Structure formats: C-alpha cells, structure tokens
C-alpha cells in the first residue's frame, strides 16, 4: 500500500471505495488491489 498526498484521482478508478480509519484516508479497491493507497 502506497502513501500518497492526493487520492482524488484514485476515486475515479472502477471499484474504488474511500474509507476513513484512525485519522487516515484509505482508498480500497478489491477489483484492482494495485490502487490500494493511504493518505496521511
């Protein structure tokens, strides 16, 4: 899982879900796990 400064472009990927956990923003994509990222 990569840490990125901006996850806005990853929200448009098919299958992406934006989740907030423990003060971090995660993008979880089960369809294409290459786009799993963390912000913060």
């Amino acid at each position: 899982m990569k840490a990125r400064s901006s996850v806005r472009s990853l929200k448009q990927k098919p299958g992406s879900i934006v989740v907030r956990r423990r003060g971090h923003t995660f993008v979880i994509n089960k369809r294409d796990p290459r786009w799993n990222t963390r912000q913060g």
Side-chain angles (χ1 to χ4, degrees):
M1 184 176 290
K2 296 181 179 178
R4 291 177 53 126
S5 58
S6 176
V7 297
R8 181 178 294 176
S9 62
L10 298 173
K11 289 193 294 188
Q12 276 85 44
K13 304 284 184 189
S16 289
I17 305 169
V18 179
V19 183
R20 288 202 174 97
R21 294 181 187 159
R22 304 183 301 275
H24 299 298
T25 304
F26 294 88
V27 175
I28 298 170
N29 195 327
K30 291 185 177 179
R31 193 181 302 177
D32 194 353
R34 178 175 47 165
W35 304 119
N36 287 343
T37 54
R38 173 177 76 85
Q39 182 180 32

